[in-house]
Amino acid sequence: MPDEIPIEVDSGFQGIQKQYDNLHLPHKKPKGGELSDLQKAENRQLSQSRVVCENAFAGVKRYNAVSVIYRNRIKKFDDHLMLTAAGLWNFYLMAA
């Protein structure tokens, strides 16, 4: 992953920060403590940017072909399938 592309993940990816420098993880509440207002604001901002991606993934998965087991053996067809699903989802968003 190039360093100029930020990686935004949720707290389920603990430990991945050892592999990448450009990683954005949410702050965890300390045991028996509270998060500071700055940490809460950072978590909120991270969540707001991640929800856009999560909604896009859900939209592409509505075209069921990219969310089920892929069994086609045609070379590079899986890339064409994903591009088609993403294009259809973008077209749906523009029309709405």
Side-chain angles (χ1 to χ4, degrees), residues 7 10 16-17 23-24 30 34-35 41 45 49 52 63-64 73 82 85 89-90 94:
I7 302 170
D10 60 12
I16 197 172
Q17 66 267 29
L23 191 73
H24 299 288
E34 290 294 324
L35 291 176
Q45 184 180 12
S49 67
V52 173
Y63 298 106
N64 232 2
R73 290 194 170 85
M82 188 61 176
W89 179 245
N90 286 336
M94 289 177 61

Side-chain angles (χ1 to χ4, degrees), residues 17-73:
Q17 66 267 29
K18 297 172 187 169
Q19 296 176 358
Y20 298 102
D21 293 330
N22 54 343
L23 191 73
H24 299 288
L25 274 167
H27 299 283
K28 291 174 70 175
K29 187 181 82 137
K31 216 174 211 180
E34 290 294 324
L35 291 176
S36 70
D37 290 337
L38 177 63
Q39 289 175 322
K40 287 180 184 179
E42 288 175 357
N43 282 356
R44 195 172 301 113
Q45 184 180 12
L46 179 62
S47 175
Q48 287 173 348
S49 67
R50 284 189 67 244
V51 76
V52 173
C53 293
E54 295 293 335
N55 287 343
F57 288 142
V60 168
K61 285 181 177 181
R62 288 184 188 150
Y63 298 106
N64 232 2
V66 295
S67 60
V68 295
I69 295 174
Y70 179 73
R71 292 192 170 102
N72 199 332
R73 290 194 170 85

